[in-house]
Amino acid sequence: MKKIFCLLLGIFFLMYACKKEYSAIDGSSQQTFNQSLESISSKLTILQQDKIQEAVKLIYKFKTSRELDEKKRWDELYNLLNGKKADQIFDLAEELAKENKIAWSSTSMNTLDSSVFEDDIKPLSEEEKKLKQIETATRINLRFSSVSNESDTNDGFILYPELLDDSGQTVVYSNLPLEFSISFINNGTVLYVTKRTVNSSIVGEPSQKKGLKIPFSMFDKEKLSNASVDVEIKTNAGEKYLYGRLINIPIDLSKTKEASTSIEDELNTQVSLDNVKSFIQYIGNKDFSKAYALTKNPKWDSEEKFASTSNGFGTIEQTNLLTAEMIKSSKEQVIIFALYQIKDNHGKVKSLKQNFTLKKVENNWLITDTETKEIKEDSWK
C-alpha cells in the first residue's frame, strides 16, 4: 500500500500548468481523482498539502473495506470522496481520527504517526534505509545571509536549512537526497514556490556558504507590498514532514524583476534543473548512456569518448550532488549552477563548482556546454 500511496499521492504536487482546475474531487476515474486532488492541493499551503495526503490515507484506511482487493478499495475511495472539497475531506479525516483514538488534526504541524499504517508497510528500500540518518530530526532551523556584504554587488540571499532533533542538536546526514519545498510570502500572499534538492547537511552551516542561493530577480516587483519576504520550508523525511520558518528577510527592490515569468519559462527552468541533477546522478551510477542522452555538447561528440575510462567520465566512480540552482534563464537557454563531488577510480575526491548551459533540442532541454568555476581536493561528505 505504501508504494501505491507514493504513486498516487506523490504526483499531486507537480507543476500543474495547462491542466483543468477543480474545486472538488472528481471520483469518476483514477485519472480524474488524481487530477482533481492535485488541483485542489495546489491551492493549499505547504502544511495543508501534506495534511490532505494524510487525510486521504486515513479515509482509505478506515472507510474502505479491507475485505476488498486494493483496486476495489481505491474505487470505493473515489466514490466516497466524489464531490468533496478540501475542508470536507479534512472534516471526515478528523472525525475518523477521533473515532479511532488517533492524535491527528488537519491544522497541527505534528505528523501522523506511521504506526497507524503498520499493516500496510513493507520492508525498507535502500532509499528508506538512508533516511535512518535523519530519523531523530523533528524540525528545520532556517537561517540566512546575504550573497555579498557589499550592497552594490549583493544580488540575493542564501538560505541554510539545518535539521534539528528535539534537544536542538544538529542532525548530520550525507549522500541523502532531500528535496526542500520553499514558499516565499509577502504580506500574507504566497509569491513563489520552488523546490531544491540537497545531499548533505553541510548546506545548513552558514560558515560553509553552501546553502541555497535565492536571487532577488526571482521576485516580481509588482507583487511585493514591502521590501521583505517570509520563508516557509518543508521536506519529506520518509513518513514524516519537517518544517521551518523565517520572517522578514530584506529584499532589494531595485534588483527584482519587472514582470511575471510565464508558466512555460518556469517549466523550462524546472526541466533544466532536473536534467542537470539526473546527469550528475547517472555519472555517479555509471549509467553513461542515460547521461549522454541528456547532452548535445560538441566536446562530447561520441558516447565512447564521453564514457572513456582514460580521459572521460568513465574515470569517475561516484558523485555526490550538494546543491543545484538556476542562475539565468531565457527562452533560448538556461544556466544551472551545481556544486557536487566526484570520487575517481583511485579514491581521490574533488569538489566542483560548475555552470551547465542547456538549450532546447527536440522538446527537451539538453546540456550544450559546461564551465568549471572551481575544482579542488575535498573530503567525501
Side-chain angles (χ1 to χ4, degrees), residues 57-307:
K57 288 182 179 182
L58 282 168
I59 296 168
Y60 177 95
K61 175 78 175 182
F62 294 110
K63 290 293 284 186
T64 62
S65 175
R66 302 191 67 176
E67 285 72 32
L68 299 175
D69 62 33
E70 202 159 49
K71 182 182 183 304
K72 289 182 179 179
R73 287 186 73 181
W74 278 103
D75 288 339
E76 192 174 11
L77 182 75
Y78 302 153
N79 291 329
L80 181 65
L81 296 184
N82 186 46
K84 284 186 167 50
K85 298 183 178 181
D87 56 347
Q88 294 173 301
I89 295 173
F90 287 137
D91 288 345
L92 177 56
E94 288 191 347
E95 180 184 330
L96 291 171
K98 185 177 180 180
E99 288 177 359
N100 291 277
K101 298 181 180 180
I102 297 170
W104 184 84
S105 165
S106 62
T107 58
S108 171
M109 293 185 71
N110 293 330
T111 307
L112 179 63
D113 189 347
S114 61
S115 65
V116 173
F117 306 103
E118 281 181 351
D119 294 344
D120 305 300
I121 295 177
K122 297 180 180 180
L124 294 179
S125 65
E126 287 302 315
E127 181 178 349
E128 289 166 334
K129 289 177 182 177
K130 288 183 179 180
L131 285 170
K132 297 289 284 183
Q133 296 179 77
I134 59 172
E135 64 180 351
T136 61
T138 56
R139 61 188 175 94
I140 301 172
N141 177 40
L142 191 59
R143 293 172 285 181
F144 86 99
S145 70
S146 298
V147 172
S148 170
N149 293 326
E150 301 294 329
S151 59
D152 291 342
T153 58
N154 184 41
D155 61 354
F157 56 91
I158 303 173
L159 294 174
Y160 304 99
E162 178 188 26
L163 305 191
L164 300 180
D165 62 18
D166 279 332
S167 65
Q169 295 297 308
T170 300
V171 176
V172 177
Y173 60 94
S174 62
N175 196 27
L176 173 63
L178 283 182
E179 183 176 72
F180 288 93
S181 295
I182 311 169
S183 292
F184 300 93
I185 303 163
N186 177 256
N187 197 27
T189 300
V190 177
L191 302 174
Y192 191 77
V193 179
T194 187
K195 293 182 179 181
R196 300 288 179 86
T197 301
V198 302
N199 279 50
S200 168
S201 54
I202 195 171
V203 299
E205 178 49 59
S207 64
Q208 299 293 323
K209 286 284 185 178
K210 293 182 178 179
L212 307 174
K213 181 181 177 182
I214 308 298
F216 294 141
S217 60
M218 189 170 72
F219 303 107
D220 295 346
K221 182 183 293 185
E222 63 184 30
K223 293 182 179 180
L224 289 161
S225 62
N226 54 52
S228 69
V229 294
D230 301 337
V231 177
E232 290 184 359
I233 190 167
K234 177 224 47 173
T235 188
N236 287 8
E239 291 294 325
K240 63 182 177 182
Y241 316 110
L242 307 177
Y243 298 91
R245 180 177 170 86
L246 190 61
I247 63 172
N248 294 328
I249 299 177
I251 298 291
D252 186 339
L253 294 178
S254 68
K255 295 175 182 176
T256 57
K257 62 185 177 183
E258 297 292 339
S260 298
T261 301
S262 69
I263 291 177
E264 181 182 3
D265 290 343
E266 292 184 3
L267 282 169
N268 293 340
T269 297
Q270 189 61 50
V271 170
S272 299
L273 190 61
D274 290 343
N275 282 354
V276 169
K277 293 176 183 177
S278 296
F279 175 83
I280 294 171
Q281 181 180 355
Y282 290 149
I283 293 298
N285 294 341
K286 290 189 168 294
D287 198 341
F288 300 120
S289 292
K290 287 185 179 180
Y292 185 72
L294 293 174
T295 73
K296 200 73 173 179
N297 191 335
K299 293 184 291 188
W300 307 323
D301 54 7
S302 71
E303 185 177 335
E304 182 180 2
K305 181 178 179 180
F306 176 86

